[in-house]
Amino acid sequence: HESLIKDVSNRMRRKRYEKGHWDAVIDGFKESELIDPVNDGVESFPSTPLSNVSSDLILRVRDHIEKKHILSSPDSENDSVSSSSSSSKVGNVKWLPCHAIDLGNDGTLSAHVDSVKFSGDIVSGLSLVSSSIMRLRPATSEKDKDGNSAGAGYVDIYLPPMSLYVLSGGGRFDYTHELLPCGAIFETENGKKIQIAREKRLSIIFRDAKQ
């Protein structure tokens, strides 16, 4: 992963941190679209600014997402196709070009659901530098069957370097996600508390194309 960090950092070097974005979700960030190493294999795109090692890592992450979060979804399991037929689908998901995001130590990512206008069923992120806490909240304030507000609860996810989160199904469409600020505390199942002293956050975002 050091190769990917180096490649992405080089792409960001001359960029300035941006204040605000058209969707009003992110602030204090740099962003770069990565040339896409899809379809023909790493050797076929020598013009990419990413090293072969970095490009191969991106392909392996996509392959993992397809196998674990697309082909193994409940809909796929209920299909009447054979396992060999399902395996042949690996690599056939149409991916959008990855985006690298450098979020400054004072940058913010506020609660949102990624637009369904521009991407499909998967939103995933590979964390490269600095730990963060991602918070998921129900996107609506509708009442559940017991009359409680569905928007009252939340789930926190600890994202250390080289962790991969994948939002699909209800997590993709029915929950907002956001990053908590520096100083936020994550409590593990055994009661251990981890305080986030986030420096800049470097991550790679994976999205599939809208069908």
Side-chain angles (χ1 to χ4, degrees):
H1 73 285
E2 294 296 335
S3 175
L4 186 55
I5 293 173
K6 180 179 178 180
D7 287 345
V8 171
S9 296
N10 286 339
R11 290 290 303 271
M12 301 286 194
R13 183 173 298 166
R14 297 186 178 182
K15 292 179 176 288
R16 295 183 177 182
Y17 285 102
E18 299 181 35
K19 294 296 183 182
H21 189 260
W22 63 267
D23 59 9
V25 165
I26 190 170
D27 184 72
F29 71 102
K30 301 178 184 179
E31 183 176 23
S32 180
E33 183 176 290
L34 305 180
I35 293 177
D36 205 356
V38 295
N39 298 326
D40 296 324
V42 174
E43 296 80 5
S44 66
F45 48 93
S47 61
T48 176
L50 298 180
S51 67
N52 284 351
V53 174
S54 297
S55 298
D56 181 65
L57 177 57
I58 287 175
L59 292 174
R60 286 192 286 120
V61 171
R62 285 177 171 173
D63 182 69
H64 170 81
I65 295 171
E66 289 182 32
K67 290 179 178 178
K68 299 297 184 179
H69 299 277
I70 297 178
L71 298 183
S72 64
S73 67
D75 290 340
S76 297
E77 293 174 357
N78 292 332
D79 281 345
S80 59
V81 297
S82 66
S83 59
S84 60
S85 175
S86 294
S87 298
S88 69
K89 294 179 183 179
V90 176
N92 291 332
V93 175
K94 185 176 180 181
W95 292 98
L96 297 174
C98 290
H99 278 76
I101 298 179
D102 178 342
L103 188 65
N105 59 358
D106 59 347
T108 59
L109 182 70
S110 56
H112 68 287
V113 175
D114 281 44
S115 174
V116 297
K117 183 185 297 185
F118 302 110
S119 59
D121 297 334
I122 295 288
V123 175
S124 179
L126 177 65
S127 302
L128 297 178
V129 176
S130 292
S131 299
S132 296
I133 300 173
M134 174 172 282
R135 176 164 291 178
L136 273 62
R137 299 178 186 269
T140 68
S141 58
E142 297 176 356
K143 301 293 185 179
D144 61 22
K145 62 181 181 180
D146 297 321
N148 298 316
S149 175
Y154 62 84
V155 174
D156 285 346
I157 304 173
Y158 179 54
L159 301 176
M162 293 311 296
S163 61
L164 178 73
Y165 71 84
V166 180
L167 301 179
S168 62
R172 160 70 174 95
F173 298 106
D174 301 330
Y175 286 77
T176 64
H177 60 280
E178 63 190 287
L179 290 181
L180 301 189
C182 293
I185 295 176
F186 179 83
E187 186 169 349
T188 66
E189 291 182 351
N190 60 10
K192 180 182 177 181
K193 294 183 178 181
I194 303 173
Q195 185 170 30
I196 299 300
R198 196 188 77 204
E199 299 177 2
K200 74 173 185 179
R201 170 178 166 78
L202 197 62
S203 60
I204 308 295
I205 306 303
F206 298 79
R207 297 185 180 94
D208 64 327
K210 186 175 181 180
Q211 300 298 318

